[in-house]
Amino acid sequence: MTKKNVAEILKSDSVLQEVELKGWVRTFRSNRFIALNDGSTLNNIQCVIDFENTDETTLKRITTGAAVAVKGILVESQGKGQSVEIQVSNIEILGDSNPDEYPIQPKKHSFEFLRENAHLRVRTNTFSAVMRVRSKLSFAVHKYFQENDFNYVNTPIITGSDAEGAGEMFRVTNFEDNKAPVTEDGKVDYSKDFFGKETNLTVSGQLEAETFAMALGKAYTFGPTFRAENSNTTRHLAEFWMIEPEVAFMDLDGNMDLAEDFIKSVINDVLKNCEDDLAFLDKRLTQEEKSKPQAQRSEMSLLEKLRFVVDNNFKRVSYTEAIDILRNSKPNKKKKFQFPINEWGADLQSEHERFLVEKHFKCPVILFDYPANIKAFYMRLNDDGKTVRAMDVLFPGIGEIVGGAQREERYDVLVEKMKAMNIDEKELWWYLDLRKYGTAVHSGFGLGFERLVQFTTGMGNIRDVIPFPRTPQNAEF
Ligand code: 4AD
Ligand code: MG
């Protein structure tokens, strides 16, 4: 008796072997045919019950969602839709599932409904495919960096510093409700709190990753990050996973090369390793696109988009060039942008990013050299005194997928910048030390993992590519 999973059995061509399988019933029809799924693949295996020799009570308990163990012989299938099936000699019900109550019926459910049932939605075709791709993608991320001699670093989740300086942090405190001690001027006295200072959940592991790059040369993080920004969009989560490589002696050009090579490599990996799931997601998206008006439909299918990204160079454009393009663009002239582009220095909104990527260049774009005052304090100031060595990678349908920069390695310039941007030098004394002892050119970036999963799976809403999304007013499960 061989113990294999459904994926292995469907791949094997040795029929007439005895098999034993455990899984969940997707459908049961004509009191005979079970579509059994064990999660190893999108595909179900058909199990044919000998209903004359199976007792009535057992037959009644074979319902959608029930866990069962089957034993039988693998044979060539007589029916359409599958090449092999199992002729069941024995079936055992391991766990019942009341068909009148089970929320996941064998029919199409809306994503909204499934979000409310996120503990069960991974049992559907779409979510199981998405989550298997997510898993393979995260392995591909580690594989890429490990094969390129990067060191995986686990940066702190609880931190006293605001890496992005945007003040969008979740406070971490051990004070009991209404019992926080206060200072003489009436503020909460965090010196008496658990850590003896104000602490938050991290928004980025970058600053700590820099300390590793400046010793090990190449480092990367891959961990959860948290942002208390009140953005209810299809691209924002309050808790998301970020990948942050950081490399010593690498400038912005090297950083752009790394980002492009890395993204292409991991997408190529899943194209090879997730064929069934991606084919299913490709079909799903094509179907969904059909319900949209022609003008809003994507010109490429999901698989075409993924191959396009892997096969083509990303377009590298300076912020200044981008502003010129946007200023002279049709939607800007026709006042179609919600935020019109009038002058150099404007922060780019997602409508502008998407115009550049989807309408103008029609390929992934890397924008670089942004105005200093719309970017974080740690980015290296250019000789023009007004732009910094920042880069954002913009993707079709997603917008910003990567944000990064060459870091300001000059002590004096960095201190100036921090003062101007109200960043506490005392809090970041250790970050400044890196510029005192053996400072060097270095660069890195952050890739939002869920945005990558979104692009790769073609899912429209970021809440549908993370197991249990955290968003404003929602922390269920
Ligand atoms: O551009 P961000 O804010 O950059 C940083 O945090 C830098 N410290 C990274 C670095 O240089 N090491 O965030 C990086 C990426 C974004 O490009 C986006 O893909 C993703 O993180 N991201 C989010 N993803 C989901 N939900 C959110 N609220 C996100 N905010 C940023
Ligand atoms: Mg950014």
Side-chain angles (χ1 to χ4, degrees):
M1 175 101 44
T2 46
K3 278 213 170 158
K4 288 183 179 160
N5 61 31
V6 173
E8 287 165 331
I9 289 177
L10 289 177
K11 260 189 252 154
S12 78
D13 46 11
S14 52
V15 288
L16 297 182
Q17 57 173 324
E18 229 190 350
V19 289
E20 186 182 339
L21 265 182
K22 289 177 184 162
W24 294 271
V25 176
R26 280 291 174 83
T27 55
F28 184 42
R29 61 186 172 84
S30 314
N31 251 353
R32 275 203 85 170
F33 304 105
I34 302 176
L36 190 77
N37 190 286
D38 69 353
S40 60
T41 161
L42 185 75
N43 302 306
N44 305 321
I45 192 158
Q46 174 155 291
C47 303
V48 186
I49 302 286
D50 175 7
F51 70 98
E52 278 167 4
N53 292 315
T54 309
D55 65 88
E56 194 77 10
T57 21
T58 305
L59 285 176
K60 280 217 176 91
R61 292 172 66 197
I62 306 175
T63 58
T64 296
V68 298
V70 296
K71 275 185 200 158
I73 308 282
L74 189 68
V75 295
E76 270 171 34
S77 177
Q78 306 300 311
K80 266 197 245 152
Q82 66 275 323
S83 57
V84 291
E85 62 191 20
I86 298 173
Q87 257 168 15
V88 177
S89 54
N90 186 58
I91 178 160
E92 188 189 341
I93 312 293
L94 303 173
D96 291 281
S97 175
N98 183 339
D100 300 329
E101 291 172 6
Y102 187 48
I104 311 295
Q105 294 298 318
K107 61 163 200 176
K108 201 169 159 51
H109 292 291
S110 74
F111 287 157
E112 289 78 13
F113 171 82
L114 290 172
R115 253 169 246 150
E116 286 162 14
N117 289 282
H119 60 308
L120 301 173
R121 68 177 176 171
V122 69
R123 301 175 180 207
T124 64
N125 283 338
T126 300
F127 285 90
S128 71
V130 168
M131 292 307 157
R132 272 188 300 266
V133 172
R134 183 184 164 108
S135 168
K136 288 276 190 262
L137 260 179
S138 73
F139 183 63
V141 167
H142 283 292
K143 192 166 134 241
Y144 178 86
F145 288 120
Q146 294 294 331
E147 284 177 358
N148 286 287
D149 301 324
F150 281 70
N151 294 279
Y152 178 39
V153 44
N154 302 117
T155 49
I157 309 277
I158 299 173
T159 169
S161 46
D162 177 4
E164 294 304 296
E168 293 166 334
M169 296 174 299
F170 290 102
R171 173 70 35 84
V172 174
T173 174
N174 229 20
F175 287 147
E176 283 176 50
D177 294 349
N178 304 323
K179 284 192 192 149
V182 285
T183 57
E184 275 171 14
D185 49 0
K187 291 196 181 127
V188 174
D189 187 358
Y190 286 104
S191 71
K192 301 215 170 67
D193 202 352
F194 188 93
F195 295 106
K197 64 190 283 189
E198 264 184 70
T199 48
N200 308 291
L201 294 179
T202 187
V203 295
S204 156
Q206 176 198 325
L207 305 191
E208 291 90 350
E210 282 186 49
T211 71
F212 266 52
M214 296 311 281
L216 302 180
K218 293 179 181 181
Y220 74 104
T221 72
F222 187 175
T225 50
F226 309 86
R227 295 198 184 175
E229 52 185 335
N230 205 358
S231 326
N232 252 312
T233 78
T234 54
R235 303 177 314 123
H236 287 89
L237 291 165
E239 177 179 292
F240 63 99
W241 288 67
M242 202 175 357
I243 295 144
E244 297 185 272
E246 194 68 35
V247 183
F249 314 116
M250 185 177 78
D251 64 9
L252 191 71
D253 287 327
N255 207 21
M256 292 196 258
D257 292 343
L258 177 65
E260 185 168 341
D261 189 55
F262 163 61
I263 296 175
K264 286 179 170 171
S265 165
V266 294
I267 291 182
N268 204 20
D269 232 83
V270 292
L271 273 171
K272 285 198 193 119
N273 295 322
C274 302
E275 258 181 284
D276 285 354
D277 287 324
L278 289 179
F280 172 84
L281 292 165
D282 180 86
K283 258 200 223 134
R284 187 206 74 80
L285 187 62
T286 305
Q287 205 58 38
E288 188 183 88
E289 293 270 305
K290 279 190 191 148
S291 64
K292 289 185 189 165
Q294 190 83 37
Q296 284 171 30
R297 286 186 207 164
S298 167
E299 287 165 26
M300 286 187 238
S301 76
L302 175 63
L303 286 168
E304 283 167 342
K305 269 191 253 179
L306 298 181
R307 291 200 194 103
F308 183 89
V309 166
V310 171
D311 293 338
N312 289 280
N313 291 334
F314 296 5
K315 180 86 187 160
R316 301 183 186 188
V317 188
S318 74
Y319 167 89
T320 303
E321 286 171 79
I323 284 292
D324 279 342
I325 293 167
L326 288 167
R327 204 177 353 196
N328 296 314
S329 69
K330 249 196 215 157
N332 199 49
K333 287 185 170 157
K334 290 190 167 169
K335 307 225 178 326
K336 288 273 164 65
F337 284 141
Q338 195 188 340
F339 299 91
I341 297 284
N342 296 318
E343 54 201 283
W344 192 94
D347 202 354
L348 299 185
Q349 307 295 326
S350 75
E351 56 178 348
H352 309 126
E353 297 175 344
R354 293 183 67 163
F355 173 81
L356 290 170
V357 173
E358 288 158 31
K359 297 279 177 321
H360 191 82
F361 290 110
K362 295 184 189 286
C363 72
V365 173
I366 311 184
L367 289 188
F368 61 91
D369 284 351
Y370 281 76
N373 55 7
I374 59 170
K375 287 291 183 187
F377 73 95
Y378 50 71
M379 300 190 180
R380 192 182 196 281
L381 192 64
N382 278 313
D383 293 342
D384 63 13
K386 57 177 195 175
T387 59
V388 285
R389 301 247 75 190
M391 62 165 216
D392 279 4
V393 181
L394 313 179
F395 257 44
I398 303 288
E400 181 191 333
I401 194 162
V402 161
Q406 184 174 322
R407 316 307 186 189
E408 184 54 77
E409 85 283 13
R410 297 162 298 184
Y411 181 88
D412 296 339
V413 183
L414 185 58
V415 170
E416 269 314 297
K417 271 291 259 325
M418 287 169 76
K419 281 202 181 107
M421 293 186 155
N422 272 322
I423 309 282
D424 190 354
E425 281 167 64
K426 280 195 224 97
E427 182 58 48
L428 287 180
W429 62 274
W430 52 275
Y431 188 70
L432 284 163
D433 264 8
L434 299 181
R435 279 74 183 165
K436 281 207 247 168
Y437 310 120
T439 193
V441 165
H442 64 288
S443 304
F445 62 80
L447 173 127
F449 185 55
E450 283 73 21
R451 291 192 186 173
L452 176 68
V453 181
Q454 237 189 313
F455 180 75
T456 313
T457 58
M459 296 297 280
N461 194 321
I462 199 164
R463 295 160 204 223
D464 297 332
V465 299
I466 188 164
F468 300 103
R470 267 75 183 101
T471 50
Q473 297 300 310
N474 175 38
E476 195 63 44
F477 307 103

